[in-house]
């Protein structure tokens, strides 16, 4: 089943995770997987019967061609698709795979492996005190909502002391939205003057975190297009300002990507990664798209792991990403 919140984080506690609440009952975990599967329904329908066991009863050129088309349509990406289908075809030809459920299971295994790039860390390291998390993304990706939900889970479920810094100083609604989340989660809230310097807010957020002994400081930056060079440079400046107080910070830079944008999300991740060294992705709006395969394309092409996914509007719909269950929910 999808992993717990406590499994997402690396801390100083024994076992590498926060002690957190008791594990969920199996019934609730099964129910959550069903919800994940339902919210990925559009992507799964895009893959359609081509990925069901019945397709693989007869393995021939038409089978592989239809499978390639289905994966590309779901925005798994041409390069990723070609490699996956080549492996399946080679193993089937060698007699190592038969059709039906065996081949479907192998497809799930390959997709899950792609979603967890080799040599990357798909957890969030919270051992620094405070750990500084920088949130970035294009306008409208759900970045501020994700920031608030993440603060809530860290505070209410894991017992961490959190500081939220509203460095999106040009959008009053974002500041107020984040303030509401801070009140809801019990986090300390830091803001600056309207249209003020985002760097100064980030600096004050880190300073406050150090002063009060916070566990985590989360800095919400303004949404910006990846093609706006001046705003991308502003993000780089925020990183430099943060590092003046804690040289190794930010410890985590999470980029929110709207799954409905499909392959454009890959380009966003590439350019943001060049500007601010992205360490992980938050893939949002998966419930409203047939393009959920973009998670695999980004992980494979850029080597950036997906760490969180958003599959709906509620607090519970922000979940730690679990590659195997994601792959299974896509094709099963």
């Amino acid at each position: 089943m999808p992993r717990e919140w406590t499994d997402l984080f690396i801390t100083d506690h024994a076992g590498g995770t926060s002690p957190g609440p008791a594990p969920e009952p199996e019934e609730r975990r099964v129910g959550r997987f069903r919800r994940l599967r339902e919210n990925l329904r559009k992507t799964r329908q895009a893959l359609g019967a081509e990925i069901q066991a019945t397709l693989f009863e007869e393995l021939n050129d038409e089978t592989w061609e239809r499978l390639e088309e289905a994966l590309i349509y779901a925005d798994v990406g041409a390069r990723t698709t070609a490699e996956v289908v080549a492996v399946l075809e080679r193993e089937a030809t060698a007699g190592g795979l038969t059709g039906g459920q065996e081949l479907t299971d192998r497809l799930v295994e390959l997709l899950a492996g792609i979603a967890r790039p080799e040599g990357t860390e798909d957890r969030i390291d919270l051992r620094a005190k405070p750990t500084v998390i920088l949130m970035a993304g294009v306008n409208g990706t759900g970045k501020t909502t994700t920031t608030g939900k993440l603060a809530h889970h860290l505070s209410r479920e894991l017992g961490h002391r959190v500081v939220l810094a509203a460095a999106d100083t040009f959008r009053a609604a974002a500041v107020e939205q984040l303030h509401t989340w801070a009140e809801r989660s019990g986090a300390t809230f830091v803001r600056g003057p309207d249209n003020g310097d985002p760097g100064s807010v980030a600096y004050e957020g880190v300073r406050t975190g150090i002063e009060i002994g916070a566990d985590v400081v989360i800095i919400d930056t303004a949404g910006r297009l990846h093609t706006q060079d001046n705003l991308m440079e502003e993000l780089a400046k925020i990183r430099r300002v943060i590092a003046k107080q804690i040289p190794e910070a930010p410890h985590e830079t999470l980029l929110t990507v709207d799954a409905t944008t499909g392959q454009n999300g890959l380009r966003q991740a590439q350019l943001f990664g060049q500007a601010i060294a992205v360490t992980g992705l938050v893939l949002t709006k998966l419930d409203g798209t047939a393009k959920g395969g973009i998670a695999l394309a980004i992980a494979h092409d850029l080597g950036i792991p997906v760490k969180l996914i958003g599959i709906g509007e509620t607090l519970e719909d922000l979940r730690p990403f679990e590659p195997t269950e994601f792959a299974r929910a896509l094709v099963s």
Side-chain angles (χ1 to χ4, degrees):
M1 291 301 106
R3 62 180 175 179
E4 306 279 355
W5 277 96
T6 51
D7 298 327
L8 175 64
F9 302 110
I10 304 172
T11 76
D12 289 328
H13 295 286
T17 59
S18 302
E24 287 184 315
E26 183 67 14
E27 180 180 351
R28 183 177 174 186
R29 290 165 63 84
V30 171
R32 194 168 68 238
F33 172 69
R34 288 174 180 163
R35 180 169 176 77
L36 171 63
R37 186 177 182 276
E38 175 59 25
N39 284 334
L40 291 174
R41 176 173 53 85
K42 290 186 178 181
T43 295
R44 191 169 59 256
Q45 288 177 342
L47 298 180
E50 287 83 350
I51 296 185
Q52 304 311 312
T54 53
L55 170 71
F56 300 128
E57 290 176 359
E58 183 177 354
L59 303 179
N60 52 37
D61 290 343
E62 182 182 359
T63 298
W64 306 122
E65 183 177 341
R66 290 172 61 191
L67 180 56
E68 280 188 342
E69 291 175 354
L71 290 172
I72 289 174
Y73 183 70
D75 261 319
V76 171
R79 176 184 167 195
T80 308
T81 293
E83 290 188 17
V84 167
V85 174
V87 170
L88 290 174
E89 186 174 7
R90 183 171 62 251
E91 293 181 1
T93 301
L97 282 177
T98 61
Q101 190 62 42
E102 181 181 348
L103 195 51
T104 302
D105 290 344
R106 179 59 175 144
L107 174 60
V108 168
E109 183 180 2
L110 290 172
L111 295 180
I114 288 169
R116 184 183 281 120
E118 186 176 354
T120 64
E121 177 57 73
D122 65 351
R123 295 177 295 168
I124 297 175
D125 194 336
L126 299 180
R127 287 175 292 185
K129 298 299 178 188
T131 296
V132 180
I133 300 175
L134 183 66
M135 305 294 294
V138 172
N139 310 68
T141 58
K143 172 180 52 58
T144 298
T145 299
T146 297
T147 301
K149 289 179 178 179
L150 178 58
H152 188 280
H153 285 293
L154 284 166
S155 177
R156 298 302 191 193
E157 294 189 26
L158 303 179
H160 288 303
R161 192 169 190 180
V162 179
V163 172
L164 280 177
D168 184 353
T169 60
F170 302 104
R171 194 166 65 94
V175 176
E176 294 307 316
Q177 181 184 7
L178 201 63
H179 188 201
T180 299
W181 275 108
E183 292 180 330
R184 183 177 179 183
S185 62
T188 300
F189 184 64
V190 174
R191 66 182 298 173
D194 292 346
N195 300 315
D197 178 21
S200 66
V201 178
Y203 185 92
E204 182 63 20
V206 175
R207 189 197 66 78
T208 300
I210 295 172
E211 184 178 89
I212 69 174
D215 298 294
V216 183
V217 176
I218 309 178
I219 300 170
D220 181 37
T221 63
R224 65 204 68 219
L225 294 175
H226 51 291
T227 55
Q228 296 173 308
D229 293 340
N230 59 325
L231 294 182
M232 296 299 284
E233 174 54 32
E234 181 185 83
L235 270 181
K237 175 187 173 183
I238 290 174
R239 284 184 60 91
R240 293 193 297 269
V241 167
I242 292 170
K244 287 181 179 180
Q245 297 184 82
I246 304 176
E248 62 273 18
H251 306 92
E252 189 82 40
T253 300
L254 298 179
L255 177 68
T256 57
V257 173
D258 180 346
T260 64
T261 61
Q263 287 297 305
N264 190 44
L266 178 63
R267 182 60 174 163
Q268 291 174 25
Q270 182 181 41
L271 294 181
F272 270 93
Q274 291 171 0
I276 56 172
V278 173
T279 57
L281 295 179
V282 183
L283 197 62
T284 61
K285 306 183 184 182
L286 276 167
D287 53 317
T289 181
K291 301 179 181 297
I294 190 61
L296 307 175
I298 293 175
H300 181 258
D301 288 5
L302 303 182
I304 303 174
V306 179
K307 300 194 176 185
L308 291 163
I309 57 173
I311 55 173
E313 297 296 327
T314 71
L315 178 64
E316 293 74 21
D317 287 333
L318 179 69
R319 297 297 313 165
F321 181 69
E322 207 296 308
T324 300
E325 294 307 325
F326 181 81
R328 186 172 294 129
L330 282 178
V331 305
S332 297

